[in-house]
Amino acid sequence: MSEVINVEELFASKVFTRATMRERLPENVYKEVIKVMEKGGELSLAAADVVAKEMKDWAVENGATHYTHWFQPLTGITAEKHDSFVSHPDESGKMLMEFSGKELIKGEPDASSFPSGGLRATFEARGYTAWDITSPAFLKEDATGVILCIPTAFCSYKGEALDKKTPLLRSMEAISEQALRIVRLFGNTGAKKVVASVGPEQEYFLVDREKYLKRPDLIFAGRTLFGAPAPKGQELEDHYFGTIRERVGAYMKDLNIELWKLGVTAKTQHNEVAPAQHELAPIYETANIAVDHNQLVMETMKKVAGRHGLTCLLHEKPFAGVNGSGKHNNWSLATDNGVNLLDPGDTPNENIQFLLVLACIIKAVDRHADLLRQSASDVGNDHRLGANEAPPAIISVFLGEQLEDVVKQLVETGEAAHVLQGGKLETGVSTLPDFTKDATDRNRTSPFAFTGNKFEFRMVGSADSIGSPNTILNAIVAEAFCEAADVLEKAEDFDLAVHDLIKEYFTRHQRIIFNGDGYSDAWVVEAERRGLPNIKSMIEAVDTLTTEKSVKLFDKFGIFTKAELESREEILYETYAKTINIEALTMIDMASKQIIPAVIKYTKSLADTVIAVKEAGADASAQADLLNQITEKLNGMKTALAKLEEVTAKANSMSQAREQAFYYKDVVKEVMEELRTPADEAEMLVDKKVWPIPTYGDLIFEV
Ligand code: ADP
Ligand code: MG
């Protein structure tokens, strides 16, 4: 019998929830906190002091000794600096644990070592963290003890955003304001805000930790830089939704428990397509909390893996030749009085508000396809997007048959008189229930797919923060709502005006709608004919951030200043260059210290064999043949290694971030491939016993 897990009791036990606050705070303070959470504004210092004291007491009762302002710098991961609650002892030597309202609201980490992309000169070290009251504080437990974590935004001395959260919060306010204008036009006066909801499905790999530790490439780069394919890959499709192995099952159980304690609604778990690949999905929640929680999910995945002798790989492409990992970012908009703006109802053709919202989203995605693509790019994702395992690098929208038909009618005749319904699903087996099926099938090749009452943005990388994709989504849709509201609020005949606007938007932007096979070559040609951007790599997407239309968009809604955008561009180029540089150096290291020496040793023993066999008077041609083949690979490796050393040194000497990043992509990465090819071929020829690192077969089939 396994122990009983009381999930209801465990859930959010490490979170300073609203319920905890209601219990512990005086009523007036509690009310003030809720008001700020829901309506914005600032908490009075007096109230903040009370909240801080109660938060500290709660944390200390639960074992905490320290607190931290937990933030999300532009590294894509989270940062924390711990301060204990220890205060100055009194004369008698007695010390009381303290935490003030000021310490809760504002922190001042020395920010000079975080990427700022030139926003801050190095001598301007000041950065501030500011409490995000809408995302609950929580307790993190690790070897350092229990730490009270306060989710915060991170800004420079001049108020410029140095993180992923600040622009996200700005974009959430923008979309709320503009979406409210839309729902008001349709008579919803009760709604006070519109919330962007997000549910991210997280993919990951698990490998055995002992084997991981024998692979410098996994340690330094998070992905394999060498490795011949195993005899079996994912072709049998036997891993997807397959029975979960014991060791992985124990990991998942432990992971769920840790996440539930942190208030993360871990909901779905299953094996994914590639061997050793898995997925976890939580229930959706408010965008900024979803972003915070996704960071916790990634962090907890790694932490728990260690306890099971495993390592969790979040890289987008840890292994060549099998699927990589992504994150499906499910996104929708709902009013605080319970209306999902993306819910079409049974008769979407008659749901004018839904059609207007949809038309605005279509317009936004078409106009800013480049930005959306940029938001899903990171170094690892370059291996996936457009590689026929993940959405193509071309942005398009999948609506499904039902909505596509409605749009078609609207564009052609101005009216959508009828709507396709799902009909009955008949299995042909009398004991199975017949049920009504959805009006629309799914399309897994689409980067941006409508899935019933939400859009699923399927391009996002597995290791990346979902902060940027959601900031961009909110921003571009806010802009479209704003423009629609500008027209409709002035209209004399609202019904006519909204009808015309919907027709106009669908007509002008229908090129972005594509329901076919996004993996096909024909789509690449067709997309080009339609004039849709096909941005093939992360660094080619960088300058979409500062086009005239982007700067205008972000400025209009106060999401990014031009300086903030330029700094982000700089950081993206730098990140790219640094990442590829680490990969190149790791390859040089592994090739020269592990692979080449092992191959040389093996050729020596082969040569000895050839001589011995010949001396014995037998035919040694097979052995000699093999020796020649391996020597050829060895020579290939030596040549490529020398070349890689040369181009990496050259790349390192470059000072312009953009030029350097492109050199890494166009030159260094190519030479890395030149080195990998003969090494992988040699792996196929050399005795497994002498191969110095665990193989693909060892790594992905023996977890
Ligand atoms: P699938 O994509 O396979 O249909 P689900 O329907 O379970 O899977 O949803 C996947 C993710 O989408 C989950 O995280 C879920 O909570 C989230 N989701 C469901 N409805 C919404 C919504 N209205 N807004 C945002 N996310 C949602
Ligand atoms: Mg999904």
Side-chain angles (χ1 to χ4, degrees):
M1 267 287 283
S2 63
E3 82 211 88
V4 177
I5 308 169
N6 188 338
V7 183
E8 289 181 11
E9 206 167 282
L10 268 184
F11 191 79
S13 56
K14 291 187 172 181
V15 185
F16 198 61
T17 58
R18 277 194 192 203
T20 315
M21 285 197 269
R22 195 168 47 225
E23 214 174 274
R24 303 190 74 120
L25 297 176
E27 200 183 327
N28 61 331
V29 175
Y30 175 72
K31 279 194 174 144
E32 197 181 323
V33 170
I34 299 298
K35 196 171 142 216
V36 177
M37 277 166 88
E38 285 175 357
K39 301 209 180 93
E42 247 175 87
L43 206 61
S44 67
L45 198 55
D49 274 331
V50 178
V51 178
K53 179 174 179 307
E54 288 305 322
M55 211 187 251
K56 182 261 300 170
D57 287 349
W58 167 80
V60 170
E61 282 163 29
N62 284 285
T65 50
H66 290 69
Y67 72 94
T68 184
H69 275 201
W70 186 71
F71 59 104
Q72 302 173 26
L74 294 168
T75 51
I77 51 174
T78 60
E80 51 195 78
K81 179 190 85 175
H82 304 167
D83 278 300
S84 74
F85 296 118
V86 169
S87 68
H88 210 337
D90 67 14
E91 278 143 36
S92 71
K94 180 159 173 52
M95 188 281 302
L96 289 175
M97 300 284 260
E98 271 176 10
F99 185 47
S100 71
K102 244 170 132 171
E103 288 169 309
L104 167 63
I105 290 174
K106 189 183 108 183
E108 208 183 306
D110 180 340
S112 52
S113 295
F114 290 107
S116 85
L119 266 187
R120 234 181 330 81
T122 7
F123 59 89
E124 296 167 350
R126 258 185 223 279
Y128 294 106
T129 47
W131 180 28
D132 173 11
I133 196 171
T134 57
S135 183
F138 58 93
L139 300 173
K140 213 155 92 167
E141 187 169 3
D142 53 34
T144 49
V146 180
I147 314 288
L148 168 66
C149 297
I150 299 153
T152 55
F154 179 45
C155 295
S156 75
Y157 187 68
K158 295 183 193 121
E160 286 145 337
L162 294 175
D163 69 347
K164 302 256 176 187
K165 187 188 271 270
T166 310
L168 175 70
L169 292 173
R170 293 172 182 163
S171 77
M172 288 169 68
E173 291 192 356
I175 194 142
S176 178
E177 197 180 311
Q178 301 308 324
L180 270 183
R181 292 174 66 193
I182 299 291
V183 299
R184 294 238 165 84
L185 285 165
F186 288 89
N188 183 344
T189 48
K192 302 228 161 33
K193 67 175 170 181
V194 173
V195 180
S197 305
V198 171
E201 303 162 55
Q202 175 75 47
E203 293 179 339
Y204 62 98
F205 278 85
L206 289 175
V207 295
D208 182 86
R209 184 152 182 82
E210 294 288 314
K211 290 175 191 151
Y212 163 87
L213 290 173
K214 292 192 181 124
R215 296 274 323 208
D217 46 1
L218 287 180
I219 294 173
F220 298 124
R223 74 176 180 104
T224 53
L225 298 164
F226 295 100
K232 181 183 171 192
Q234 63 194 42
E235 60 277 65
L236 293 180
E237 296 170 336
D238 52 355
H239 194 256
Y240 190 56
F241 285 13
T243 310
I244 295 164
R245 270 163 297 179
E246 291 262 313
R247 188 174 179 195
V248 174
Y251 166 82
M252 287 180 171
K253 177 178 168 189
D254 212 3
L255 175 63
N256 285 330
I257 290 174
E258 292 302 327
L259 290 175
W260 289 330
K261 286 189 210 164
L262 290 166
V264 178
T265 47
K267 173 88 176 161
T268 309
Q269 63 197 21
H270 60 82
N271 285 352
E272 257 300 330
V273 172
Q277 192 187 27
H278 313 279
E279 180 180 301
L280 179 143
I283 298 173
Y284 66 96
E285 53 197 340
T286 309
N288 63 319
I289 302 177
V291 171
D292 287 359
H293 279 172
N294 183 248
Q295 290 289 353
L296 284 181
V297 166
M298 293 194 284
E299 207 177 298
T300 312
M301 280 179 165
K302 290 186 177 166
K303 190 163 90 183
V304 172
R307 293 184 204 157
H308 295 263
L310 297 165
T311 293
C312 172
L313 304 175
L314 292 172
H315 193 282
E316 285 78 7
K317 193 74 179 176
F319 305 100
V322 294
N323 274 12
S325 298
K327 203 137 46 186
H328 293 174
N329 187 87
N330 294 273
W331 174 92
S332 72
L333 295 169
T335 66
D336 58 349
N337 58 0
V339 182
N340 178 353
L341 304 191
L342 289 172
D343 185 357
D346 289 336
T347 48
N349 55 325
E350 291 163 4
N351 186 344
I352 305 299
Q353 179 180 300
F354 169 76
L355 288 177
L356 177 64
V357 167
L358 185 68
C360 285
I361 295 175
I362 298 286
K363 173 181 168 183
V365 174
D366 184 29
R367 185 194 275 170
H368 295 295
D370 56 344
L371 272 182
L372 210 48
R373 193 266 178 257
Q374 191 285 321
S375 78
S377 62
D378 71 4
V379 190
N381 225 5
D382 273 6
H383 297 280
R384 289 176 70 239
L385 300 180
N388 281 2
E389 60 169 81
I394 307 161
I395 295 272
S396 64
V397 180
F398 171 80
L399 288 182
E401 276 166 60
Q402 188 189 49
L403 287 182
E404 202 192 12
D405 175 61
V406 170
V407 171
K408 192 162 158 253
Q409 293 176 59
L410 282 169
V411 169
E412 281 171 6
T413 67
E415 302 295 333
H418 53 85
V419 59
L420 302 174
Q421 292 295 351
K424 278 249 183 292
L425 182 89
E426 282 161 24
T427 56
V429 179
S430 64
T431 50
L432 289 178
D434 286 342
F435 47 79
T436 13
K437 55 181 183 183
D438 295 304
T440 295
D441 194 7
R442 288 172 176 254
N443 180 328
R444 61 181 207 97
T445 66
S446 173
F448 198 72
F450 186 73
T451 45
N453 61 359
K454 63 185 192 282
F455 273 100
E456 187 171 351
F457 185 27
R458 304 173 67 259
M459 266 178 145
V460 184
S462 51
D464 210 7
S465 158
I466 52 169
S468 301
N470 289 298
T471 303
I472 299 298
L473 269 173
N474 294 341
I476 65 177
V477 176
E479 181 189 52
F481 283 166
C482 176
E483 286 166 356
D486 285 347
V487 174
L488 296 175
E489 283 165 359
K490 289 199 294 257
E492 275 167 27
D493 182 340
F494 175 74
D495 290 346
L496 188 67
V498 76
H499 172 274
D500 288 352
L501 206 61
I502 291 171
K503 180 170 181 215
E504 179 197 323
Y505 285 2
F506 279 137
T507 309
R508 295 229 321 242
H509 299 285
Q510 57 181 321
R511 66 171 185 169
I512 198 76
I513 300 172
F514 179 62
N515 284 347
D517 179 2
Y519 292 178
S520 70
D521 295 335
W523 169 232
V524 177
V525 178
E526 167 64 12
E528 193 179 343
R529 194 193 60 77
R530 293 188 189 185
L532 300 176
N534 182 0
I535 307 175
K536 297 204 174 76
S537 72
M538 164 181 165
I539 50 171
E540 284 160 287
V542 169
D543 52 20
T544 61
L545 286 172
T546 47
T547 59
E548 209 183 314
K549 77 174 168 68
S550 303
V551 173
K552 211 171 115 206
L553 160 75
F554 294 126
D555 178 65
K556 181 170 178 180
F557 297 101
I559 295 167
F560 286 116
T561 61
K562 184 141 190 253
E564 286 171 336
L565 290 167
E566 282 165 351
S567 78
R568 269 153 219 255
E569 288 192 337
E570 190 81 3
I571 291 170
L572 289 167
Y573 289 130
E574 282 171 8
T575 305
Y576 186 86
K578 286 175 187 164
T579 307
I580 306 296
N581 189 54
I582 292 169
E583 292 188 348
L585 295 182
T586 306
M587 284 190 90
I588 292 170
D589 205 67
M590 288 174 76
S592 44
K593 294 191 192 139
Q594 292 184 287
I595 298 174
I596 291 176
V599 174
I600 289 177
K601 218 163 132 192
Y602 188 60
T603 52
K604 163 83 169 58
S605 78
L606 260 183
D608 290 348
T609 310
V610 173
I611 294 165
V613 171
K614 272 191 184 154
E615 269 175 14
D619 173 13
S621 59
Q623 292 86 335
D625 249 15
L626 186 57
L627 180 58
N628 281 329
Q629 277 182 53
I630 295 175
T631 308
E632 191 197 314
K633 306 302 170 204
L634 186 60
N635 291 337
M637 277 191 270
K638 284 290 283 179
T639 312
L641 177 62
K643 202 165 154 196
L644 187 57
E645 280 168 332
E646 186 194 315
V647 294
T648 308
K650 175 157 181 222
N652 253 300
S653 69
M654 295 179 153
S655 58
Q656 287 293 316
R658 186 173 192 280
E659 181 201 11
Q660 187 186 40
F662 273 93
Y663 187 80
Y664 272 106
K665 173 173 105 49
D666 295 331
V667 181
V668 179
K669 268 186 91 166
E670 295 296 315
V671 183
M672 283 163 60
E673 273 314 304
E674 283 174 34
L675 174 56
R676 177 169 183 156
T677 306
D680 290 359
E681 286 164 357
E683 185 191 329
M684 301 296 283
L685 300 171
V686 169
D687 184 351
K688 183 166 184 333
K689 283 199 215 83
V690 303
W691 198 251
I693 50 177
T695 63
Y696 269 28
D698 301 333
L699 286 165
I700 58 181
F701 285 99
E702 294 179 21
V703 184

